[in-house]
Amino acid sequence: MDDWLPGELRAPAVLVTVARVEGSVPREPGARMLVDAAGFRGTIGGGHLEHRALEIARALLAAGGQARLERFPLGPKLGQCCGGIAWLAFEIADAGQLALLDRRRNEDTWRMVSVGWAGLPPTRSSKDGIAAALPPVERVGGEAAHATSLIDGSGRILAGAAVPAFDRSAGTHMFQDDTGRLWLVDAVLAPRAHLMLFGAGHVGAAIVRALAGLPCRVTWVDERDDLFPAGLPGNVTVEATDTPRALVEKAPQGTTFLVMTHSHALDLDLSHAILSRPGAPDHDIAADWFGLIGSCTKRRQFEHRLRERGIAAARIAAMVCPVGIPGIEGKAPAVIAASVAAQLLTVWEAAARQPDVSTESH
């Protein structure tokens, strides 16, 4: 994950968000970059577009002002050949709201930002890279009438003022309200992908490192508490338990399972528990994905034992063993981890194309 969100904002900063795109562009709506005077976190795609955005953000940081929108045709004038158009929103970052978003990393939140009015010429990049200012957001008593608001999955206002109704299923997008005001709806969503990884050996540790920068949550399970490293990636939660089967039984549908413990007997028990979970149809693409580390010989042995335990043939056939991308044969932990991480991304991206469900009840 290109982690734009700090645990604590230590210096004034500007948040840059890809608000809308047309055609071929480096990043999707919702990509973000947090810019301060000395550096930045996250990325909106690199290249000249990002360089220009850094200039504009730092100019806004120096001069102050309201949220604004910039339109960038990605052609020869910008030194890029993508050919599409990107609209970027620039706003002074609110330290309190960023801290709240950081605490809600595993919960869906929507940011609502007023970025101007419809029917006015859009801002464009000037020759020196500094934005021509949009007409200011309506002010009341010298302050912006609509600061950024944060809304949870049930529509509850977490911070800021009341905002117009919006479509929470549309991801990050822009819309115009009845008064002509333009809004950025920025969906800051919890990672949908959740991996339950059993085994804290060399390969398990390498997989955790490989997944550290990816949009997923990892629950790392082992009974041997001393094997977990002192420093963990921000997307990892440790479960040191001698009853791992209970975690399988309680895991929500759609969890991804990866089993690689120190014991074949434990691997078999966990495999049985995973393949016995209710509510996961045999051929449903959104059903639990289950990978088991091991050779083709191990797979044949487990198939036989799982059949003896009453697991349906279709469920056994869905078990992925060996794991990893076909054609990568290296057995070093880092090689296995890279191959498995790529395989998991294909699984998670396929799942992401299915109808989404918020992490909170509506």
Side-chain angles (χ1 to χ4, degrees), residues 30-303:
R32 306 171 193 90
M33 180 170 67
L34 188 67
V35 183
D36 62 25
F40 63 96
R41 299 171 59 99
T43 177
I44 56 167
H48 289 283
L49 173 65
E50 187 163 289
H51 179 73
R52 185 66 58 84
L54 288 169
E55 290 182 332
I56 295 170
R58 289 185 174 128
L60 177 60
L61 188 61
Q66 304 304 318
R68 63 187 63 175
L69 194 65
E70 280 272 340
R71 177 181 180 272
F72 295 86
L74 303 183
K77 289 185 178 180
L78 196 61
Q80 296 199 209
C81 59
C82 300
I85 302 173
W87 282 261
L88 305 182
F90 296 80
E91 60 185 291
I92 301 293
D94 182 298
Q97 292 193 7
L98 291 184
L100 179 55
L101 288 170
D102 183 60
R103 294 194 297 272
R104 291 177 56 84
R105 283 177 181 266
N106 292 325
E107 299 174 272
D108 291 344
T109 310
W110 284 261
R111 300 186 326 109
M112 284 281 287
V113 188
S114 176
V115 292
W117 298 90
L120 295 171
T123 40
R124 298 175 183 269
S125 304
S126 60
K127 292 181 180 179
D128 62 1
I130 305 302
L134 276 170
V137 174
E138 178 184 342
R139 292 170 176 261
V140 175
E143 298 295 331
H146 291 274
T148 301
S149 296
L150 301 184
I151 300 96
D152 71 9
S154 65
R156 180 170 60 100
I157 301 292
L158 302 172
V163 293
F166 63 95
D167 182 0
R168 289 197 296 274
S169 69
T172 294
H173 65 284
M174 296 186 63
F175 80 96
Q176 176 185 337
D177 68 18
D178 293 340
T179 70
R181 187 184 299 275
L182 290 175
W183 294 89
L184 166 64
V185 180
D186 185 20
V188 186
L189 304 180
R192 277 7 189 195
H194 176 210
L195 172 67
M196 193 165 282
L197 171 62
F198 294 90
H202 295 300
V203 175
I207 288 174
V208 165
R209 291 192 293 270
L211 298 178
L214 299 182
C216 63
R217 293 179 292 126
V218 180
T219 301
W220 196 10
V221 186
D222 203 295
E223 63 185 8
R224 302 164 295 172
D225 186 46
D226 58 310
L227 288 187
F228 296 113
L232 291 170
N235 63 341
V236 176
T237 301
V238 161
E239 287 281 356
T241 177
D242 57 2
T243 57
R245 187 182 181 107
L247 295 176
V248 172
E249 293 168 351
K250 294 177 181 177
Q253 186 171 330
T255 299
T256 301
F257 295 96
L258 193 55
V259 173
M260 49 182 65
T261 78
H262 61 291
S263 163
H264 276 218
L266 180 55
D267 283 358
L268 180 61
D269 187 55
L270 289 170
S271 298
H272 180 261
I274 292 165
L275 295 176
S276 299
R277 281 164 53 84
D282 293 339
H283 302 292
D284 184 355
I285 193 171
D288 304 330
W289 184 92
F290 165 43
L292 172 69
I293 198 167
S295 63
C296 292
T297 299
K298 180 177 179 179
R299 180 187 181 95
R300 287 193 294 271
Q301 293 173 346
F302 273 48
E303 286 177 343

